[in-house]
Amino acid sequence: APGEVALLPADAALPHLPAATLKEGEVLRFLQGQAAGAAPGLPGALARVYGGSGRFLGIARHDPAGNLQPVRIFNHLGATST
C-alpha cells in the first residue's frame, strides 16, 4: 500500500555468516543464553542460528568444544522473520 515501508528480516543482513540449525530441545537453551548444539565451524567463528522451524534465533560464536555460544539473541521478531 502507498506509504508503507517493507522491512527485511533481521537475518537478511547476515548472508556472509554460515547457518546452523538447532534441534528443538536446544532452542530454549540458546534463547536463555546457554551454549547449545554442536555445529561444524572454527572456534571463534560466528554463525546465524535457526530453530528447527526455520525461525531466526540469533548469532552465535563457535566455542572450542564446537558448541554454539550465543552472542546476540533475537526474540519475538514476528511472523515475517525467517
Side-chain angles (χ1 to χ4, degrees):
E4 286 188 24
V5 177
L7 296 177
L8 295 173
D11 58 337
L14 306 169
H16 60 288
L17 297 179
T21 302
L22 296 178
K23 296 177 184 172
E24 201 57 40
E26 299 168 327
V27 169
L28 183 59
R29 287 180 51 81
F30 184 84
L31 292 176
Q32 293 176 338
Q34 300 173 21
L42 297 174
L46 296 174
R48 292 175 287 141
V49 180
Y50 296 87
S53 65
R55 178 179 147 215
F56 178 57
L57 302 175
I59 301 168
R61 184 176 311 279
H62 291 274
D63 69 16
N67 295 314
L68 295 165
Q69 182 64 49
V71 174
R72 292 288 179 263
I73 298 170
F74 294 80
N75 281 319
H76 309 293
L77 291 176
T80 59
S81 67
T82 55

